[in-house]
Amino acid sequence: MVPGWSGVETIATGHFTSADCNWKLYRMKGGGSGQVEGPVNLFTFLHGLDDYQLPAKDMEAIDRHLGGNTLFLVPRNPRPYWRGKCKMVNEWSMTFKASDDRTSRGHCFGDVNHQFNQEFSELVGWIKESYCVDGKAIIYGYSAGGLGALLLALHDNTLFQAVIAAASYAPGTLEVAKDIPQPQAKWKFTDFLKMAKERLMNTRTYFVHFKGDRVSLFGDVKSIAEGLQQVGAPCELLEVGNQLKKTEGKKASTHSYYYSTLIWDSAESFFWSKFREDLWAEGSAGGWVSRSSSHTSYTSYSNDWQPERQSREWRASSGSRNWGRGWDNSRWQNNWEQDYWQTQARSNSWKRGANRHWW
């Protein structure tokens, strides 16, 4: 922990309306103002399907590696919901039918929830403006969180200076198996890679992956990293070695290397020292676009860092939505019911290879 820090505190909370999930914003506590000299950084953490919530000790370790003054945006993965009689599952902004995810292959079938990505982007913009984030905006995702981080970066490539996708995967896959709809999954993967080459040219992207990972395939991630490098995008694939992987414990699965690559002291030499050298060499963040619309109302637990109070309503072209007053289930249900049959048809046509426009 940075000298002077004494834990973390929640400074803002909110709830998304485009998906059933909430978010919290944390900062490090300390003596006096609770700040150190230097720019304020924003670290967004997207958990995997294990629903791991970033604990205070992990925030303290990350803050130490970043040099202090770090805000932590920690959302929850959207909950499942029903479209008519069909149960829908979310892996952040990727949505698919539960029946298509029986063998954890939902990302080969799903569609992107652009409304959620847009709402998330505006939340990040609001935090940057309200809390004077003049350092780096970083997003980290593990496993399914890596998928969500990549899709957010594609949606708005001005949001983050760095994307860290650990044990991640992408929409679609190059793998051939009985439970994978090929060649449709390959088409989806190819389309994703094409967009990544276009939109991540100015975003530093780091893939952290163990070659023997049996959940998220190393071959897919390697193809993405090589594709980005071929067009000159600042991308690096950091391969987790066997010795580093063993530090997670003998019982750890091939998909578990979060602590050794991000939190523990071993992460300093493996990742953080290079990350700081790459990113801080570019100077301060700067240049991000301030959102004109006021964002979500929030619950503040801090008097010394409370920003100017924002409006309780955010008006978009689709109408007005309420923030911070509970979940508007009826409006959400109606919005999704309208395109239920359209999505059903799109999912079925993907299986037949008739429709490649999933994005």
Side-chain angles (χ1 to χ4, degrees), residues 133-165:
V133 177
D134 54 353
K136 300 297 182 182
I138 304 159
I139 186 168
Y140 174 93
Y142 194 90
S143 190
L147 169 68
L150 291 170
L151 292 177
L152 275 168
L154 289 186
H155 180 81
D156 187 343
N157 57 9
T158 66
L159 279 180
F160 305 103
Q161 282 71 52
V163 177
I164 309 166

Side-chain angles (χ1 to χ4, degrees), residues 52-347:
Y52 182 80
Q53 291 301 292
L54 196 65
K57 59 182 179 60
D58 289 7
M59 294 186 204
E60 292 166 1
I62 295 170
D63 183 70
R64 181 181 69 247
H65 287 299
L66 289 174
N69 254 15
T70 306
L71 300 178
F72 292 90
L73 173 59
V74 185
R76 301 293 292 268
N77 183 54
R79 300 178 181 89
Y81 63 95
W82 292 86
R83 288 185 185 174
K85 297 181 180 180
C86 182
K87 184 179 181 180
M88 305 298 294
V89 178
N90 301 288
E91 291 184 1
W92 297 102
S93 61
M94 178 67 76
T95 303
F96 44 83
K97 294 190 293 184
S99 58
D100 289 334
D101 195 42
R102 292 170 182 169
T103 56
S104 300
R105 304 294 188 182
H107 60 284
C108 296
F109 296 90
D111 296 313
V112 177
N113 183 351
H114 292 287
Q115 190 177 7
F116 176 74
N117 279 340
Q118 179 62 26
E119 190 174 8
F120 202 115
S121 300
E122 295 185 5
L123 170 63
V124 173
W126 173 80
I127 291 173
K128 284 181 174 180
E129 185 173 16
S130 299
Y131 292 92
C132 303
V133 177
D134 54 353
K136 300 297 182 182
I138 304 159
I139 186 168
Y140 174 93
Y142 194 90
S143 190
L147 169 68
L150 291 170
L151 292 177
L152 275 168
L154 289 186
H155 180 81
D156 187 343
N157 57 9
T158 66
L159 279 180
F160 305 103
Q161 282 71 52
V163 177
I164 309 166
S168 180
Y169 48 90
T173 181
L174 298 176
E175 183 185 15
V176 177
K178 292 182 179 180
D179 57 339
I180 298 177
Q182 293 291 13
Q184 292 89 344
K186 181 179 179 180
W187 294 341
K188 178 172 288 193
F189 182 88
T190 303
D191 291 344
F192 166 83
L193 180 55
K194 180 180 179 181
M195 284 185 290
K197 290 179 179 179
E198 296 174 353
R199 303 184 186 183
L200 298 182
M201 286 297 297
N202 298 315
T203 303
R204 285 198 169 274
T205 308
Y206 297 85
F207 292 96
V208 179
H209 219 92
F210 176 52
K211 195 171 184 178
D213 195 324
R214 298 176 183 175
V215 178
S216 301
L217 300 180
F218 180 80
D220 286 347
V221 170
K222 183 178 180 181
S223 297
I224 299 172
E226 290 178 347
L228 291 174
Q229 291 168 354
Q230 287 173 1
V231 297
C235 173
E236 186 162 351
L237 172 59
L238 302 176
E239 183 177 343
V240 180
N242 288 323
Q243 292 301 319
L244 183 60
K245 174 68 180 68
K246 287 179 180 179
T247 62
E248 295 279 345
K250 294 182 179 180
K251 296 183 179 180
S253 72
T254 60
H255 193 57
S256 300
Y257 36 95
Y258 163 78
Y259 293 103
S260 59
T261 59
L262 185 73
I263 303 301
W264 292 342
D265 291 341
S266 57
E268 174 63 26
S269 59
F270 173 78
F271 173 71
W272 284 111
S273 59
K274 177 172 180 51
F275 179 79
R276 290 194 302 269
E277 181 181 352
D278 290 345
L279 217 58
W280 265 249
E282 299 175 354
S284 61
W288 60 272
V289 180
S290 174
R291 307 289 175 181
S292 59
S293 58
S294 60
H295 206 269
T296 175
S297 63
Y298 59 90
T299 304
S300 179
Y301 298 97
S302 167
N303 293 324
D304 56 337
W305 254 41
Q306 183 170 336
E308 182 180 354
R309 180 69 64 174
Q310 301 293 312
S311 169
R312 282 190 175 271
E313 282 193 345
W314 166 56
R315 297 191 174 275
S317 58
S318 58
S320 66
R321 303 198 200 104
N322 238 324
W323 298 82
R325 295 182 180 178
W327 176 245
D328 189 356
N329 185 67
S330 60
R331 179 178 179 83
W332 171 80
Q333 181 70 20
N334 291 336
N335 286 346
W336 283 109
E337 284 289 340
Q338 291 174 3
D339 66 346
Y340 166 64
W341 293 112
Q342 179 182 354
T343 304
Q344 285 267 74
R346 182 164 59 246
S347 178

